[in-house]
Amino acid sequence: MDIKLFLEAPLAAPGSFELGPGPLPPRGKFDFLLLFKHYDPVSEVLRYVGRLIVQKNSRLAQLSGELVAMCGLAPGTELECYEEIRADGGDNMVELVPL
């Protein structure tokens, strides 16, 4: 049996990616929770790198610096972002998201 679970926990400090005591981040009516994964084509490893709560009108290009930091990449690294449109235990379908 394969169990997939996302457990939201508070961060140690705003802008930090470390877990710590404190309240969960506030969410408004028009906020979205986005989960991010990083695929390293050299090692062929896919790993979870974090999550962001963004407003509905946010653009991915506005988040690119934060995403680069979440992945542990050098500042200014260009990203290719994909949206996972189906994850049913089989092959995932993804679409390239323009920055």
Side-chain angles (χ1 to χ4, degrees):
M1 175 188 327
D2 187 21
I3 298 175
K4 296 177 184 178
L5 170 71
F6 176 76
L7 176 63
E8 187 170 9
L11 298 176
S16 166
F17 300 113
E18 300 294 321
L19 297 179
L24 294 175
R27 273 187 237 160
K29 183 177 179 180
F30 298 105
D31 290 342
F32 288 93
L33 172 65
L34 300 178
L35 306 174
F36 295 97
K37 302 174 190 176
H38 174 255
Y39 176 72
D40 182 353
V42 175
S43 63
E44 297 183 353
V45 171
L46 178 68
R47 67 183 177 91
Y48 171 80
V49 293
R51 54 106 168 110
L52 293 173
I53 296 173
V54 299
Q55 293 184 345
K56 182 178 180 177
N57 60 354
S58 296
R59 298 283 174 232
L60 205 48
Q62 297 168 317
L63 307 173
S64 63
E66 200 164 351
L67 295 177
V68 166
M70 288 169 71
C71 294
L73 303 172
T77 301
E78 283 192 33
L79 298 175
E80 280 187 3
C81 295
Y82 294 84
E83 178 182 6
E84 189 173 348
I85 57 175
R86 190 183 97 216
D88 61 3
D91 290 338
N92 293 344
M93 296 173 56
V94 294
E95 286 186 2
L96 182 62
V97 177
L99 295 177

